[in-house]
Amino acid sequence: VLDFNDPFSTEVKPRILLMGLRRSGKSSIQKVVFHKMSPNETLFLESTNKICREDVSNSSFVNFQIWDFPGQIDFFDPTFDYEMIFRGTGALIFVIDSQDDYMEALARLHLTVTRAYKVNPEINFEIFIHKVDGLSDDHKIETQRDIHQRANDDLADAGLEKIHLSFYLTSIYDHSIFEAFSKVVQKLIPQLPTLENLLNIFISNSGIEKAFLFDVVSKIYIATDSTPVDMQTYELCCDMIDVVIDISCIYGLKDDGTGTPYDKESMAIIKLNNTTVLYLKEVTKFLALVCFVREESFERKGLIDYNFHCFRKAIQEVFEVRMKVVRSRKHQSHMQKNKRPTPNGTPRMPL
């Protein structure tokens, strides 16, 4: 657990809270996104009865803690230190079951957001309107509009119009939950503008139509270029990563089962029947670049590979800068602790 009094702790590993009423689907979301559980298997998950904390540290960018809160716990009880919880939080995801009566959920949402904002105005508030797979397209839009209107009206009535809520329609039975989590995680990545700029330079010089930088473990895309994201394109990229990892696990390991199925030699090309090529290249141990390229542009594969080499080198430099910042902040934090006086009033001696 982080040292909550450490002013640099939230920068090193931000915290994402999963909140909502009982049976809204919080634990299922976590299991599907971060544990590769089949959506059908989540039907057998027991209701969460205690706070579950999990470190997600797949790469230097996807690096945070997830706290899954039981719906029945009243964390505003006087015996519960909710200020400590919200102080180190980067994002608060509130899950609302779209197939249930959501009036009680909206009341809990309003209470949670107002309390959290008073403690930490920097929290990103993300609302997952969940289980929309059981709704028609018209019903989805109407439900989102109604929840959006009611939640913002409640904040306006409390004089808190400046609080921004982001809304997402999600389901564990398609890729909408991965895309929503991608948007949440991107807000916690301070290097996002740099990554987007690098991707824009890469695709403009390579004749590429669309590029995603994926975390291959969770299928969260941590950055993409500035062109709009098409859901079908994103789903194809996710499917490609699944194919590459599955085949690598079958044929990429040694006879004794050792080795790494995904490494710096990992690469895949899939030609679609609409004159489009999907091209995947390994960037780091946990990151992959997935590109959409027209067949005529892919004929200049040598140019694309050269530009990719430059892109990967730039990404590694971003990592190195990030690690220097983290080490520097940890050092400053350590020095500050040593400067604090001991209980008898004498200054601490540096180690």
Side-chain angles (χ1 to χ4, degrees), residues 74-121:
D74 180 11
F75 51 90
F76 295 125
D77 185 278
T79 60
F80 219 79
D81 189 357
Y82 71 87
E83 289 194 9
M84 175 273 288
I85 293 169
F86 291 136
R87 198 178 302 130
T89 296
L92 191 158
I93 299 174
F94 196 92
V95 182
I96 297 177
D97 185 347
S98 65
Q99 299 186 34
D100 200 2
D101 180 13
Y102 44 77
M103 291 304 136
E104 184 184 352
L106 285 170
R108 175 64 73 92
L109 168 66
H110 179 73
L111 178 64
T112 305
V113 168
T114 51
R115 291 281 183 93
Y117 183 79
K118 288 177 182 176
V119 176
N120 181 3

Side-chain angles (χ1 to χ4, degrees), residues 1-4 13-20 26-27 30 34 48 50-56 64-71 75 80-95 181:
V1 181
L2 294 172
D3 176 1
F4 299 111
K13 184 169 288 192
R15 194 181 311 140
I16 296 178
L17 307 185
L18 267 176
M19 294 184 168
K26 304 182 295 297
S27 299
Q30 185 179 353
F34 297 107
T48 305
K50 64 179 180 179
I51 299 174
C52 298
R53 291 175 294 190
E54 179 181 1
D55 278 327
V56 178
F64 48 83
Q65 282 188 336
I66 290 187
W67 290 35
D68 183 3
F69 279 79
F75 51 90
F80 219 79
D81 189 357
Y82 71 87
E83 289 194 9
M84 175 273 288
I85 293 169
F86 291 136
R87 198 178 302 130
T89 296
L92 191 158
I93 299 174
F94 196 92
V95 182
F181 240 105

Side-chain angles (χ1 to χ4, degrees), residues 62-270:
V62 182
N63 189 14
F64 48 83
Q65 282 188 336
I66 290 187
W67 290 35
D68 183 3
F69 279 79
Q72 69 272 22
I73 280 190
D74 180 11
F75 51 90
F76 295 125
D77 185 278
T79 60
F80 219 79
D81 189 357
Y82 71 87
E83 289 194 9
M84 175 273 288
I85 293 169
F86 291 136
R87 198 178 302 130
T89 296
L92 191 158
I93 299 174
F94 196 92
V95 182
I96 297 177
D97 185 347
S98 65
Q99 299 186 34
D100 200 2
D101 180 13
Y102 44 77
M103 291 304 136
E104 184 184 352
L106 285 170
R108 175 64 73 92
L109 168 66
H110 179 73
L111 178 64
T112 305
V113 168
T114 51
R115 291 281 183 93
Y117 183 79
K118 288 177 182 176
V119 176
N120 181 3
E122 303 301 317
I123 293 179
N124 297 314
F125 295 106
E126 319 286 351
I127 317 304
F128 285 8
I129 303 171
H130 197 48
K131 302 183 184 179
V132 296
D133 48 277
L135 306 180
S136 65
D137 289 342
D138 290 342
H139 197 180
K140 286 180 190 177
I141 296 170
E142 185 60 37
T143 300
Q144 182 177 16
R145 185 186 296 120
D146 188 41
I147 291 175
H148 184 282
Q149 185 71 44
R150 290 176 184 273
N152 283 309
D153 285 350
D154 287 344
L155 291 175
D157 292 343
L160 296 170
E161 297 95 334
K162 57 187 174 183
I163 297 180
H164 176 71
L165 306 178
S166 299
F167 295 86
Y168 309 86
L169 293 171
T170 60
S171 168
I172 58 173
Y173 291 95
D174 58 31
H175 290 88
S176 59
I177 191 62
F178 293 97
E179 187 182 23
F181 240 105
S182 297
K183 299 287 180 59
V184 172
V185 170
Q186 285 168 27
K187 294 178 184 179
L188 304 179
I189 300 174
Q191 302 89 349
L192 184 62
T194 304
L195 298 177
E196 288 181 348
N197 189 39
L198 288 172
L199 285 167
N200 285 332
I201 295 170
F202 172 67
I203 68 169
S204 63
N205 291 319
S206 307
I208 290 171
E209 297 203 343
K210 186 69 181 169
F212 294 91
L213 189 61
F214 270 95
D215 177 81
V216 294
V217 178
S218 63
K219 290 185 291 188
I220 286 175
Y221 70 94
I222 65 171
T224 184
D225 57 85
S226 56
T227 60
V229 175
D230 174 58
M231 193 64 181
Q232 189 176 10
T233 301
Y234 174 66
E235 289 176 2
L236 283 170
C237 292
C238 289
D239 291 343
M240 184 182 194
I241 290 172
D242 282 338
V243 169
V244 171
I245 297 300
D246 289 347
I247 292 178
S248 296
C249 287
I250 296 171
Y251 299 105
L253 299 176
K254 297 178 182 177
D255 293 338
D256 58 359
T258 61
T260 306
Y262 181 78
D263 56 30
K264 61 183 179 181
E265 302 298 327
S266 294
M267 182 267 289
I269 300 169
I270 297 178

Side-chain angles (χ1 to χ4, degrees), residues 270-286:
I270 297 178
K271 293 187 176 181
L272 306 179
N273 57 8
N274 61 351
T275 70
T276 303
V277 177
L278 277 173
Y279 189 32
L280 180 147
K281 292 274 283 182
E282 187 262 9
V283 178
T284 71
K285 186 178 179 182
F286 294 104

